[in-house]
Short mmCIF file of all heavy atoms in Angstrom, two decimals:
data_model
loop_
_atom_site.label_atom_id
_atom_site.label_comp_id
_atom_site.label_asym_id
_atom_site.label_seq_id
_atom_site.Cartn_x
_atom_site.Cartn_y
_atom_site.Cartn_z
N ALA V 1 -48.77 64.54 -3.31
CA ALA V 1 -49.11 65.68 -4.16
C ALA V 1 -49.89 66.74 -3.37
O ALA V 1 -49.65 67.94 -3.53
CB ALA V 1 -49.93 65.20 -5.35
N ALA V 2 -50.79 66.30 -2.51
CA ALA V 2 -51.57 67.23 -1.70
C ALA V 2 -50.71 67.99 -0.70
O ALA V 2 -51.11 69.04 -0.20
CB ALA V 2 -52.67 66.47 -0.96
N ASN V 3 -49.51 67.47 -0.44
CA ASN V 3 -48.59 68.12 0.49
C ASN V 3 -47.40 68.75 -0.21
O ASN V 3 -46.32 68.89 0.37
CB ASN V 3 -48.13 67.11 1.54
CG ASN V 3 -49.17 66.86 2.61
OD1 ASN V 3 -49.27 67.60 3.58
ND2 ASN V 3 -49.97 65.82 2.41
N GLY V 4 -47.60 69.14 -1.46
CA GLY V 4 -46.61 69.97 -2.15
C GLY V 4 -45.60 69.25 -3.00
O GLY V 4 -44.68 69.88 -3.53
N TYR V 5 -45.71 67.95 -3.17
CA TYR V 5 -44.77 67.21 -4.00
C TYR V 5 -45.26 67.14 -5.45
O TYR V 5 -46.46 67.00 -5.70
CB TYR V 5 -44.61 65.78 -3.49
CG TYR V 5 -43.58 65.62 -2.39
CD1 TYR V 5 -43.79 66.16 -1.13
CD2 TYR V 5 -42.39 64.94 -2.60
CE1 TYR V 5 -42.86 66.03 -0.11
CE2 TYR V 5 -41.44 64.79 -1.60
CZ TYR V 5 -41.68 65.34 -0.36
OH TYR V 5 -40.75 65.20 0.64
N SER V 6 -44.34 67.24 -6.40
CA SER V 6 -44.66 66.90 -7.78
C SER V 6 -44.56 65.38 -7.91
O SER V 6 -43.67 64.76 -7.31
CB SER V 6 -43.71 67.59 -8.76
OG SER V 6 -42.38 67.16 -8.57
N THR V 7 -45.45 64.77 -8.67
CA THR V 7 -45.48 63.31 -8.76
C THR V 7 -45.37 62.87 -10.20
O THR V 7 -46.04 63.41 -11.09
CB THR V 7 -46.76 62.74 -8.13
OG1 THR V 7 -47.90 63.21 -8.86
CG2 THR V 7 -46.90 63.15 -6.67
N LEU V 8 -44.53 61.88 -10.44
CA LEU V 8 -44.33 61.35 -11.78
C LEU V 8 -43.93 59.89 -11.69
O LEU V 8 -43.35 59.44 -10.69
CB LEU V 8 -43.28 62.15 -12.54
CG LEU V 8 -41.83 62.17 -12.04
CD1 LEU V 8 -40.91 62.72 -13.13
CD2 LEU V 8 -41.66 63.02 -10.78
N ALA V 9 -44.26 59.13 -12.73
CA ALA V 9 -43.98 57.70 -12.68
C ALA V 9 -43.96 57.12 -14.07
O ALA V 9 -44.49 57.70 -15.04
CB ALA V 9 -45.01 56.97 -11.82
N ALA V 10 -43.36 55.93 -14.18
CA ALA V 10 -43.36 55.14 -15.40
C ALA V 10 -43.47 53.67 -15.01
O ALA V 10 -42.96 53.26 -13.97
CB ALA V 10 -42.10 55.37 -16.22
N GLY V 11 -44.13 52.88 -15.86
CA GLY V 11 -44.23 51.45 -15.61
C GLY V 11 -45.34 51.09 -14.64
O GLY V 11 -46.30 51.85 -14.45
N LYS V 12 -45.19 49.92 -14.01
CA LYS V 12 -46.25 49.40 -13.14
C LYS V 12 -45.99 49.72 -11.68
O LYS V 12 -45.07 49.19 -11.08
CB LYS V 12 -46.39 47.89 -13.32
CG LYS V 12 -47.52 47.29 -12.47
CD LYS V 12 -47.60 45.79 -12.62
CE LYS V 12 -48.69 45.22 -11.73
NZ LYS V 12 -48.76 43.75 -11.78
N LEU V 13 -46.82 50.59 -11.12
CA LEU V 13 -46.82 50.86 -9.68
C LEU V 13 -48.12 50.38 -9.06
O LEU V 13 -48.12 49.71 -8.02
CB LEU V 13 -46.64 52.36 -9.42
CG LEU V 13 -45.25 52.98 -9.48
CD1 LEU V 13 -44.33 52.36 -8.45
CD2 LEU V 13 -44.64 52.98 -10.85
N LEU V 14 -49.23 50.71 -9.68
CA LEU V 14 -50.56 50.41 -9.16
C LEU V 14 -51.17 49.24 -9.93
O LEU V 14 -50.69 48.86 -11.00
CB LEU V 14 -51.45 51.64 -9.27
CG LEU V 14 -50.92 52.91 -8.61
CD1 LEU V 14 -51.66 54.13 -9.13
CD2 LEU V 14 -51.04 52.82 -7.11
N HIS V 15 -52.24 48.69 -9.39
CA HIS V 15 -52.97 47.62 -10.06
C HIS V 15 -54.44 47.77 -9.68
O HIS V 15 -54.81 47.62 -8.52
CB HIS V 15 -52.45 46.25 -9.61
CG HIS V 15 -53.04 45.10 -10.36
ND1 HIS V 15 -52.30 44.26 -11.18
CD2 HIS V 15 -54.31 44.63 -10.43
CE1 HIS V 15 -53.08 43.34 -11.70
NE2 HIS V 15 -54.31 43.55 -11.26
N GLY V 16 -55.28 48.12 -10.67
CA GLY V 16 -56.69 48.34 -10.39
C GLY V 16 -57.02 49.77 -10.03
O GLY V 16 -58.18 50.08 -9.72
N TYR V 17 -56.04 50.65 -10.07
CA TYR V 17 -56.23 52.08 -9.81
C TYR V 17 -55.46 52.82 -10.88
O TYR V 17 -54.29 52.51 -11.13
CB TYR V 17 -55.70 52.43 -8.42
CG TYR V 17 -56.20 53.74 -7.86
CD1 TYR V 17 -57.42 53.79 -7.18
CD2 TYR V 17 -55.47 54.91 -7.98
CE1 TYR V 17 -57.89 54.98 -6.63
CE2 TYR V 17 -55.94 56.10 -7.45
CZ TYR V 17 -57.15 56.13 -6.78
OH TYR V 17 -57.61 57.32 -6.25
N PRO V 18 -56.06 53.79 -11.58
CA PRO V 18 -55.45 54.36 -12.79
C PRO V 18 -54.20 55.20 -12.52
O PRO V 18 -54.25 56.17 -11.76
CB PRO V 18 -56.58 55.22 -13.37
CG PRO V 18 -57.45 55.56 -12.20
CD PRO V 18 -57.39 54.38 -11.29
N HIS V 19 -53.10 54.83 -13.17
CA HIS V 19 -51.87 55.60 -13.04
C HIS V 19 -52.05 57.04 -13.52
O HIS V 19 -51.56 57.98 -12.91
CB HIS V 19 -50.75 54.95 -13.86
CG HIS V 19 -50.24 53.66 -13.31
ND1 HIS V 19 -50.80 52.44 -13.62
CD2 HIS V 19 -49.19 53.39 -12.48
CE1 HIS V 19 -50.13 51.49 -13.00
NE2 HIS V 19 -49.15 52.02 -12.31
N GLU V 20 -52.74 57.18 -14.65
CA GLU V 20 -52.86 58.51 -15.28
C GLU V 20 -53.60 59.51 -14.39
O GLU V 20 -53.39 60.71 -14.50
CB GLU V 20 -53.59 58.38 -16.62
CG GLU V 20 -52.82 57.59 -17.68
CD GLU V 20 -53.02 56.08 -17.53
OE1 GLU V 20 -53.70 55.65 -16.57
OE2 GLU V 20 -52.50 55.33 -18.37
N ARG V 21 -54.48 59.02 -13.51
CA ARG V 21 -55.24 59.90 -12.64
C ARG V 21 -54.58 60.04 -11.27
O ARG V 21 -55.04 60.80 -10.43
CB ARG V 21 -56.66 59.36 -12.46
CG ARG V 21 -57.46 59.30 -13.74
CD ARG V 21 -58.82 58.65 -13.50
NE ARG V 21 -59.60 58.55 -14.71
CZ ARG V 21 -60.79 57.96 -14.79
NH1 ARG V 21 -61.33 57.42 -13.69
NH2 ARG V 21 -61.45 57.88 -15.92
N THR V 22 -53.51 59.29 -11.06
CA THR V 22 -52.84 59.27 -9.76
C THR V 22 -51.59 60.13 -9.75
O THR V 22 -51.31 60.82 -8.77
CB THR V 22 -52.49 57.83 -9.36
OG1 THR V 22 -53.66 57.01 -9.47
CG2 THR V 22 -51.95 57.76 -7.94
N PHE V 23 -50.83 60.06 -10.83
CA PHE V 23 -49.60 60.83 -10.96
C PHE V 23 -49.82 62.03 -11.87
O PHE V 23 -50.57 61.95 -12.86
CB PHE V 23 -48.48 59.95 -11.53
CG PHE V 23 -48.05 58.83 -10.61
CD1 PHE V 23 -48.63 57.57 -10.72
CD2 PHE V 23 -47.08 59.04 -9.64
CE1 PHE V 23 -48.24 56.53 -9.88
CE2 PHE V 23 -46.68 58.01 -8.80
CZ PHE V 23 -47.27 56.76 -8.92
N GLU V 24 -49.16 63.12 -11.57
CA GLU V 24 -49.27 64.30 -12.41
C GLU V 24 -48.66 64.06 -13.79
O GLU V 24 -49.09 64.66 -14.78
CB GLU V 24 -48.59 65.49 -11.72
CG GLU V 24 -49.27 65.89 -10.43
CD GLU V 24 -48.44 66.82 -9.57
OE1 GLU V 24 -47.21 66.92 -9.78
OE2 GLU V 24 -49.01 67.44 -8.66
#
């Protein structure tokens, strides 16, 4: 995201780190 990418996700990617604050 810091390098110009839009970020989006669904389901389980992370564990112990908040998805909502990680993906746009």
Side-chain angles (χ1 to χ4, degrees):
N3 283 275
Y5 274 69
S6 63
T7 63
L8 64 166
K12 182 182 178 183
L13 279 300
L14 305 163
H15 186 116
Y17 198 86
H19 289 88
E20 294 83 357
R21 297 175 181 177
T22 308
F23 294 93
E24 295 166 343

